[in-house]
Amino acid sequence: MDAASDALKIGDMSDFKFLKGSEDWWRQAVVYQIYPRSFADSNGDGIGDIRGIISRADYLKSLGIDAVWLSPHYPSALADGGYDVDDYRNVDPRLGTLEDFDEMIEQLHRRDIRVIVDIVPNHSGSNHVWFQEALRSPKGSPARDRYIFRDGKGENCEIRPSELVSHFGPTAWTRITEPDGTPGQWYMHLFAPEQPDFNWDNPEVREDFLKTIRFWSDRGVDGYRIDVAHALTKNLANGHLPERTGYDLSLVKHDGSDDLFDRDEVHEIYASWRKVYNEYDPPRVAVAEAWVHANRRARYASTEGLGQSFAFDLLGTPWNKKRFHSTIDYQLKAAAENGSSTTWVFSNHDVIRHATRFGLPESALSNLPAWYRSADREKQINVELGFDRARAATMLVLALPGSTYLYQGEELGMQEPLNIPSEQMQDPQWFRSEGSISRDGCRVPMPWTSTGSSFGFGPGGAHLPQPAWFKDVNVEVQDKDGKSTLNLYRNALRIRRDLLCAEEIKWVKHPLAADVLHFKRPNGWQCVTNFGTKPFKLPKGQILLATKDVVDGKLPANATAWIK
Ligand code: GLC
Ligand code: CA
């Protein structure tokens, strides 16, 4: 075997304390994201709910995860899949009651599974009492000051205040009708019109979110995922309004002075949240969804702030050894610099499932909307290749220091369902971007069984159409199959739990096998991934797990093995 090289020291063994119940539980946790409306439906109305989650608590336990992260469970008009929150301190009646929520926490905690909920602070839903009050109240009133209302330009204020484009397209301004029936002011929404942006200069807004995080922490919630964490504070001073179009990171400034995103003062908010989180024992954890330049991520992950920040680098990384190597190095170093641990993410409720992405040619991967619009998009997917690479990629990151976020359904090796007719689409991005891409595919309800009207999702139908191939891709089938992806995930998480050690890796170089990525953890746990096309002779040791059969000691292409 080649000599080990490039020691990369992440954290210090001496203060390593991965103990159950310790404050550091999150550092190398496996967090399973549940999109509640698509997980399990207990009452047959086609919408997944809290009692559905409770009914699957043993399943969650069988996976071996450390925590679940629930996408928003709050009352919502569902203009953006629940990310339009109408009441931050309640449960959507379609999902259940606060009592159901409490029972869910208890059932999951009893199984050693922690619970992370989603906080959506950039905007509320348009049915939020505050926004409704703002609509009823006059221009310049305290109620309007909780949001971002401005007069339009032009003689009759008929021209929108700026050319700002919403993330979902086209414009970020919507004009209201004043209480007296006349056309009135405009309000800003970085997302859909049903998602008015809060004014974070308003002290009432700040107070209210502190109340919200106390409310859920008091109920036993262990952590928070903070939606669009980089957008809260905006520079709208002196009547200045951003003109820039889009939500494109290449346009965002790197130095905290951008008008819209990642402004330095946003961290004052998170510092105040951290104080509240630290009032609890154990302290509550938080992870930022911050689409910022990688060199700015550390601020969100600081111990005085949220503590951890999503790294989305792997979402766009093609199946390429060099690219994986540099991304991993970068992420580990960046997280270590501020005492946090990194996060590994391949799939979530916003992106095309990674089993499908890895089956696409690189050209399609670099322009997913173009691929999505193309008439032959399904023909471009190499399903088998995508499946193999997705499994290999996930096993690779599970062996790395840091926490891994899994998304419901990926444990089945699930492809993106692509058969949803336009009239059944729900994603505002689909409608407001004229069909360039939809996030509904990854939100199709979970298949639990081979038969039944919604493949075991619930006793009724499903709120998005499920593909016929779910009869072969579901929990029931894979549960019985020792070689299924479901059992691969279960084995991996079980083995991993015993192997977790200091947050450190050492790369092992193979000059004669340029497409092999190989690293070691301090306790001798090794991970080898074959990005190439030829089988690779594995180093000596016990094979703990392999995503494809190892023949004559050789790891096939597009596969990962763990060795000790
Ligand atoms: C985040 C969510 C996404 C939502 C958006 C607006 O990016 O992950 O689903 O549409 O914020 O809240
Ligand atoms: Ca239901």
Side-chain angles (χ1 to χ4, degrees):
M1 203 175 75
D2 308 312
S5 60
D6 286 357
L8 182 65
K9 181 108 178 116
I10 308 293
D12 181 351
M13 192 69 156
S14 60
D15 60 28
F16 175 72
K17 34 180 178 149
F18 187 87
L19 291 172
K20 267 191 137 188
S22 94
E23 293 187 1
D24 285 348
W25 68 267
W26 54 276
R27 294 191 67 93
Q28 302 196 74
V30 176
V31 182
Y32 181 85
Q33 181 189 357
I34 291 182
Y35 189 75
R37 293 175 176 85
S38 300
F39 188 64
D41 172 20
S42 70
N43 61 356
D45 66 356
I47 299 177
D49 45 50
I50 308 272
R51 301 219 72 85
I53 298 172
I54 296 172
S55 75
R56 300 294 174 183
D58 285 334
Y59 173 76
L60 295 168
K61 176 77 189 163
S62 82
L63 288 175
I65 52 172
D66 300 292
V68 298
W69 149 32
L70 285 195
S71 275
H73 60 281
Y74 314 103
S76 166
L78 299 185
D80 181 21
Y83 285 87
D84 45 324
V85 178
D86 289 335
D87 180 356
Y88 290 88
R89 296 184 286 275
N90 215 333
V91 174
D92 184 337
R94 282 165 293 194
L95 264 59
T97 61
L98 276 168
E99 288 67 40
D100 294 333
F101 185 89
D102 292 344
E103 189 183 333
M104 178 195 74
I105 297 257
E106 199 203 310
Q107 292 294 341
L108 293 177
H109 279 177
R110 211 183 267 175
R111 292 168 176 80
D112 291 320
I113 298 171
R114 293 179 169 89
V115 179
I116 294 172
V117 299
D118 223 305
I119 296 285
V120 189
N122 179 67
H123 44 264
S124 70
S126 52
N127 293 323
H128 190 286
V129 283
W130 277 1
F131 192 69
Q132 289 302 315
E133 189 189 339
L135 292 180
R136 286 195 309 269
S137 304
K139 177 177 154 180
S141 60
R144 288 228 175 144
D145 187 61
R146 296 185 191 116
Y147 293 90
I148 304 173
F149 280 88
R150 292 293 183 273
D151 288 337
K153 296 191 283 200
E155 209 176 317
N156 300 309
C157 301
E158 73 283 9
I159 302 168
R160 52 181 180 253
S162 82
E163 290 309 305
L164 187 65
V165 166
S166 124
H167 180 48
F168 297 147
T171 171
W173 294 100
T174 292
R175 194 171 194 188
I176 67 160
T177 303
E178 296 293 343
D180 66 4
T182 57
Q185 284 197 294
W186 299 70
Y187 65 91
M188 187 194 275
H189 49 88
L190 290 180
F191 295 88
E194 297 87 351
Q195 293 167 295
D197 280 38
F198 279 120
N199 168 19
W200 274 87
D201 289 334
N202 183 303
E204 274 186 279
V205 170
R206 294 197 180 216
E207 270 310 305
D208 200 62
F209 274 90
L210 292 176
K211 205 165 153 187
T212 294
I213 58 181
R214 283 207 170 90
F215 178 88
W216 295 106
S217 298
D218 289 343
R219 297 194 104 88
V221 164
D222 304 279
Y224 299 87
R225 178 262 187 192
I226 313 303
D227 191 65
V228 226
H230 58 306
L232 277 44
T233 52
K234 301 171 180 80
N235 176 28
L236 312 176
N238 311 320
H240 165 78
L241 294 173
E243 297 282 327
R244 191 187 63 224
T245 55
Y247 186 82
D248 177 351
L249 207 52
S250 66
L251 303 172
V252 176
K253 291 188 193 144
H254 292 235
D255 61 359
S257 70
D258 195 82
D259 282 342
L260 279 181
F261 298 122
D262 190 30
R263 293 183 62 77
D264 284 340
E265 64 260 27
V266 78
H267 299 292
E268 292 161 19
I269 297 170
Y270 301 132
S272 74
W273 293 15
R274 174 48 55 202
K275 284 204 189 101
V276 174
Y277 292 147
N278 287 351
E279 287 167 13
Y280 291 87
D281 181 24
R284 300 320 192 218
V285 305
V287 57
E289 186 219 19
W291 293 89
V292 298
H293 291 278
N295 64 335
R296 306 264 313 162
R297 211 179 276 148
R299 293 157 192 257
Y300 296 84
S302 101
T303 44
E304 285 87 52
L306 296 173
Q308 201 179 44
S309 182
F310 277 129
F312 293 122
D313 312 53
L314 286 177
L315 290 182
T317 304
W319 184 251
N320 172 300
K321 179 220 156 165
K322 278 202 180 116
R323 296 280 302 275
F324 266 72
H325 190 157
S326 58
T327 302
I328 292 167
D329 263 349
Y330 185 86
Q331 282 195 209
L332 291 179
K333 279 184 186 134
E337 271 163 25
N338 65 331
S340 187
S341 68
T342 195
T343 63
W344 309 107
V345 185
F346 285 116
S347 281
N348 62 33
H349 66 295
D350 287 333
V351 298
I352 303 284
R353 287 183 175 277
H354 69 292
T356 296
R357 287 202 319 269
F358 281 129
L360 290 174
E362 260 190 54
S363 54
L365 192 61
S366 61
N367 188 352
L368 284 172
W371 161 73
Y372 197 86
R373 276 193 306 265
S374 59
D376 69 339
R377 66 178 177 200
E378 272 170 275
K379 286 209 195 94
Q380 294 181 48
I381 310 167
N382 183 333
V383 171
E384 198 187 330
L385 196 62
F387 174 79
D388 288 348
R389 290 176 173 176
R391 288 162 41 115
T394 303
M395 295 310 127
L396 189 175
V397 299
L398 282 169
L400 285 165
S403 43
T404 299
Y405 284 75
L406 306 175
Y407 178 55
Q408 67 182 42
E410 72 161 89
E411 74 273 27
L412 305 175
M414 195 198 286
Q415 296 285 324
E416 178 90 358
L418 286 167
N419 60 342
I420 305 169
S422 182
E423 61 278 12
Q424 290 187 59
M425 291 280 196
Q426 299 173 12
D427 182 5
Q429 196 161 34
W430 167 259
F431 298 104
R432 291 176 66 87
S433 69
E434 290 163 358
S436 78
I437 203 148
S438 170
R439 300 169 299 174
D440 287 318
C442 63
R443 300 172 181 182
V444 166
M446 270 286 279
W448 295 92
T449 54
S450 301
T451 52
S453 66
S454 57
F455 298 101
F457 167 63
H463 67 93
L464 280 168
Q466 296 163 303
W469 49 260
F470 272 8
K471 73 178 191 332
D472 303 315
V473 179
N474 59 64
V475 173
E476 182 184 39
V477 165
Q478 295 203 8
D479 190 45
K480 291 184 231 150
D481 173 3
K483 297 188 104 178
S484 67
T485 305
L486 175 58
N487 283 317
L488 172 72
Y489 272 60
R490 284 174 173 158
N491 288 336
L493 300 197
R494 182 176 41 78
I495 295 168
R496 179 185 187 274
R497 193 173 280 261
D498 292 336
L499 286 175
L500 280 179
C501 57
E503 295 170 57
E504 193 181 321
I505 65 164
K506 225 180 219 181
W507 292 112
V508 182
K509 281 188 183 159
H510 297 282
L512 299 178
D515 290 323
V516 168
L517 196 60
H518 179 184
F519 60 86
K520 270 186 187 173
R521 299 286 294 260
N523 58 354
W525 176 16
Q526 302 184 54
C527 177
V528 182
T529 301
N530 188 352
F531 286 83
T533 50
K534 287 190 244 84
F536 172 74
K537 180 96 184 131
L538 285 170
K540 285 207 179 60
Q542 187 199 352
I543 298 172
L544 303 174
L545 171 142
T547 61
K548 281 177 140 186
D549 286 339
V550 172
V551 184
D552 297 334
K554 288 186 182 155
L555 180 68
N558 305 308
T560 290
W562 292 357
I563 310 163
K564 179 135 191 221

